Amino acid sequence: MLLHGLVTLSAAGALVVGASGAQGAEAASVCSGRPDKTVAFSTGELRIYKARGYACAITVAKNPGKKRAMSVSLQPRGGNPVVDSGSYTRQAGPVTVHALNRCVRASGVVSGKKGSTGWILC
């Protein structure tokens, strides 16, 4: 399987890490860093990681298998949210933002059910 990665720096200064193609986000199964917070909801989990001034988030389906609408969003305070959304079998993300001395908030959706945080990692 051939995967093409995508890394860009937005005008707001947030590092955006993603993958192209419907299966690209599924291939990169975890964020680097230490797990910081997990938010469970009825259809999945939102997982947030912290590593050296960066925050990363993924949304993982509770019952992987069939494709369904999924998304993950991570926003640094004062910046724009970084979002990965589409039809995935296992997870949406990872998405990464620069979070040195900045709070972040995250949300994840699997099949219309949502989990989210307030401002964290402050």
Side-chain angles (χ1 to χ4, degrees):
M1 174 174 13
L2 180 63
L3 299 175
H4 299 283
L6 170 68
V7 178
T8 60
L9 189 59
S10 74
L15 178 68
V16 179
V17 178
S20 63
Q23 294 184 2
E26 292 172 18
S29 61
V30 295
C31 293
S32 63
R34 64 175 169 75
D36 193 87
K37 186 169 184 75
T38 300
V39 177
F41 52 99
S42 64
T43 55
E45 285 184 346
L46 170 63
R47 299 176 187 170
I48 297 98
Y49 298 80
K50 176 82 175 185
R52 291 189 184 180
Y54 290 91
C56 180
I58 60 173
T59 299
V60 181
K62 190 174 197 175
N63 298 308
K66 65 178 183 169
K67 282 192 173 189
R68 68 201 85 178
M70 297 178 69
S71 69
V72 62
S73 173
L74 186 61
Q75 179 181 10
R77 190 180 293 260
N80 293 321
V82 178
V83 179
D84 177 33
S85 63
S87 291
Y88 302 114
T89 58
R90 181 171 133 38
Q91 78 176 45
V95 293
T96 302
V97 298
H98 186 262
L100 184 63
N101 301 319
R102 296 169 89 177
C103 303
V104 298
R105 65 179 171 189
S107 66
V109 179
V110 177
S111 299
K113 305 294 183 187
K114 183 178 181 177
S116 61
T117 68
W119 292 108
I120 59 172
L121 307 179
C122 297

